[in-house]
Amino acid sequence: MSTVQNKQQGKQQGRIGKATSRVDGKLKVTGQARYAAEFPAEDLLYGVVVSSGIARGSISSIDTARALAVPGVIHVLTHENRPSLPWFDRSYQDDDSPSGSPFRPLYDASIIFSGQPVALVVASSFEAARHASALVDIRYKADKHQTDLDAERDAAYAPKQGKDGFEPPPKPRGDADAALKKAEINVLADYATPVEHHNPMEMHATTVLRDVDGNLTIYDKTQGVLNTQQYVTGVFGLKQEQVRVRSPFVGGAFGSGLRPQYQLFLAVMAAQELKRSVRVVLTRQQMFSFGHRPATRHQIALGADKSGKLLAIKHQTVSETSRFEDYIEVVVNWSGSAYQCDNVTLDYKVAALDVYTPLDMRAPGATLGVYVLESAMDELAHATGVDPLALRILNYAEQDQNTGKPFSSKELKACYEQGAAKFGWDKRNPAPRSMRRGKTLVGWGMATGFWDAMQQPASAKAVLSVDGKLQVSSATADIGTGTYTAMTIIAADVLGLAIEDVNFTLGDSSLPQAPLEGGSWTVSSVGSAVKMACEAIRDELLSIARAMPDSPLAGASAEDVEWTEGRVQRVGQPAASLEIADIMRSKGLHSIEHAVDQKPESKQKKYTMHTHSAVFVEVEVDEDFGTVAVKRVVSAIAGGRVINPKAARSQIIGGVVWGIGMALHEETMADHAMGRFMNHSLAEYHIPVNADIHDIDVIFVEEHDDIVNPLGAKGMGEIGIVGVAAAIGNAVFHATGKRVRELPITLDKVI
């Protein structure tokens, strides 16, 4: 594959920035889109996982006789009869694993978390496997366990920077303790957030198709087919050409598909052991047995003068991790870069519990840390008598004090201005309990959102046929974010083609490499590669066109022409044009193909690159019952260039809805005496429903940034949720005069 330098795009009829319906929408609504558990196979076997009933200890005995006696049952895999694998020497880690020793299913008799897979029943039908799974008789020796973060808080430790690229808190600047003592106004508060689980609609599943030569085609629910492929080859000692992974559609993931989950391992192990095709699908309850947003405990202190000017910030966080890996997030760093303050101390520690390792969940770290910071800023606004919006503008940061770097772009003030105008913030009565509507208290709150704008190396291939059809491909994913459509728009924009004439392929490990889909970096990374591949085709076409006999484009530069409707023409001169098909035929070309590898440009290292938002919320609180309803939300986003406003708006709305859930509903409750999650179903794990969601307005603030990537796009997947919970909590305080510092804000805490 060749590396192609980015060139100026030239003038053309643009597709970018126009609201475009999903190109994959019809397949999804008509049921033609197939997910990991829906691909057919001849002679397919079905595996059902048996889960541990204790949180810590060991297996004393496993009796599989009754299960094996069920008609149709082929095998029951346990730690006693599983095959030996290269992975069991603990040498292999996947691309998204934190530092430590990854969990290895069926390795030995040890139990290290509740719900741990301890057996796989394989049968010729799902029904037989499910029935037999209940007949596996397992006896345990239970050891003392600890799943309560508060009980282990004093034993928390500072994690080391590992291979996952964790950015530790910056060193203290100034003297925060001394500044707090001198400050005229102090805010000292403890905040707490609970465990949350991802709960995508599609449960994790793997279908392994094994051919007669032992080659595997794997359909997996994943946010990165290449990561799955590397995992399987590394764990099972296979060659890359023996394993092909496909994941054309994903029914939501939110981070749960970044790491290979244990159903993948068990399905491949069974397929290899039995030399058959195997499918393993986790139950909804088992979706609570791997990964989650970690519980956190925070102490935050803000010091300011009477005007509200920040003099000191201290933010200390303890987060949970497992005993076998150090899961770490960037939680407190935001408190050092969000606002101008010369005295800052940040501290982040983790406490090991008898749980599965937590897992990235939409806007990991920022969702938690910014919630605490923005809640404390509202407390400071109340203490100083300064309007919450005015307080943030007063302490506006013109550069990142954590690093001393300027921002590549920052239109946060425009977010404040446009969001406040749309919301009507100037009509807010600042006194708590001062606004009413009938029998309900009305509260208005706001918060700022922050997220990293990142770019990763990625590759893409583009093939233009003489019939005017463009095929573009990259091994990225679409977890419901609209990747298919965004890449189609980018490709069509470069060559001035109709959306219908472009086909983008993803979710296949045989395609050009791409990073995991996460972190809001897919458009910036894969989109930049798609742009460059299509530009290489465009440049070749223009070169041919200039050399054609009597060419109307002779001597034309890239800036002199525009690409539209399958033609290239001099700018503003439709008569001076050539059909793309005629250009290709002049050279006898049936197709033009270019593959590119792109990397972030070195100039990015000189800047801090962030996406910003301002969230304004109105709540109604029933004074008698303490129930909270979010009636209005305005979210103003500065996210660089917006590729598809229609999909981007949906991304932000989805993030806002999740923020409402975080603030008012979501909590995975644990029985610490048993060490297990109790509300492990969608019936008892509370999330917002239609009746909970009212008016949500999204504003995209114009922002130009030529540093972040060639497209100038920052990504929208994560920023939508950041700051929403804080804005709601702040609104609840404004409505009631009561500050709830422990999420979720349930009626018992309000009254």
Side-chain angles (χ1 to χ4, degrees), residues 464 495-497 538 540-556 560-571 573-587:
L464 179 66
L495 286 164
L497 300 175
R538 190 191 61 202
E540 182 174 343
L541 285 170
L542 182 57
S543 178
I544 296 171
R546 284 194 296 247
M548 290 173 63
D550 301 320
S551 173
L553 304 178
D560 296 331
V561 300
E562 55 190 354
W563 303 77
T564 177
E565 299 179 357
R567 304 175 64 84
V568 55
Q569 65 185 41
R570 288 187 180 271
V571 176
Q573 301 180 48
S577 67
L578 290 171
E579 295 278 354
I580 289 177
D582 290 337
I583 297 172
M584 295 176 68
R585 291 190 187 101
S586 73
K587 279 285 190 178

Side-chain angles (χ1 to χ4, degrees), residues 541-717:
L541 285 170
L542 182 57
S543 178
I544 296 171
R546 284 194 296 247
M548 290 173 63
D550 301 320
S551 173
L553 304 178
S557 67
E559 293 75 25
D560 296 331
V561 300
E562 55 190 354
W563 303 77
T564 177
E565 299 179 357
R567 304 175 64 84
V568 55
Q569 65 185 41
R570 288 187 180 271
V571 176
Q573 301 180 48
S577 67
L578 290 171
E579 295 278 354
I580 289 177
D582 290 337
I583 297 172
M584 295 176 68
R585 291 190 187 101
S586 73
K587 279 285 190 178
L589 298 174
H590 296 288
S591 65
I592 297 177
E593 176 179 326
H594 281 276
V596 304
D597 305 315
Q598 71 80 25
K599 296 180 180 179
E601 296 184 28
S602 59
K603 64 182 179 181
Q604 293 181 1
K605 297 178 181 179
K606 300 177 182 179
Y607 298 88
T608 290
M609 301 182 296
H610 282 172
T611 304
H612 298 92
S613 68
V615 185
F616 298 84
V617 168
E618 177 182 288
V619 302
E620 289 184 354
V621 182
D622 188 293
E623 194 170 12
D624 296 323
F625 296 101
T627 52
V628 179
V630 177
K631 305 302 290 187
R632 288 193 299 138
V633 180
V634 174
S635 180
I637 309 292
R641 194 180 189 191
V642 181
I643 303 301
N644 183 5
K646 187 173 185 178
R649 178 177 180 274
S650 292
Q651 280 289 291
I652 302 304
I653 289 175
V656 169
V657 171
W658 199 335
I660 294 171
M662 177 183 175
L664 304 179
H665 303 276
E666 289 194 57
E667 179 180 12
T668 309
M669 299 179 180
D671 182 334
H672 295 304
M674 299 182 66
R676 67 189 307 177
F677 298 123
M678 302 305 292
N679 57 332
H680 55 316
S681 71
L682 289 186
E684 297 179 348
Y685 183 87
H686 293 175
I687 58 175
V689 297
N690 283 349
D692 298 308
I693 305 304
H694 299 278
D695 293 338
I696 301 175
D697 284 326
V698 179
I699 300 169
F700 292 118
V701 172
E702 185 174 349
E703 183 175 57
H704 175 76
D705 193 323
D706 58 4
I707 303 297
V708 288
N709 53 69
L711 288 163
K714 292 183 173 181
M716 299 290 178

Side-chain angles (χ1 to χ4, degrees), residues 436-503:
R436 287 180 174 269
R437 184 175 294 125
K439 296 182 179 181
T440 62
L441 298 168
V442 175
W444 286 9
M446 61 87 56
T448 311
F450 312 87
W451 183 251
D452 286 312
M454 297 173 281
Q455 183 184 4
Q456 305 289 338
S459 303
K461 183 171 72 172
V463 182
L464 179 66
S465 300
V466 72
D467 62 0
K469 304 297 183 182
L470 179 66
Q471 301 286 332
V472 189
S473 60
S474 183
T476 186
D478 190 333
I479 59 174
T481 52
T483 305
Y484 277 111
T485 309
M487 301 306 154
T488 300
I489 290 171
I490 293 167
D493 185 79
V494 173
L495 286 164
L497 300 175
I499 294 294
E500 297 75 18
D501 289 332
V502 179
N503 181 62

Side-chain angles (χ1 to χ4, degrees), residues 49-67:
V49 177
V50 180
S51 303
S52 164
I54 65 170
R56 186 177 182 183
S58 60
I59 298 172
S60 300
S61 65
I62 296 184
D63 185 349
T64 61
R66 292 175 63 206

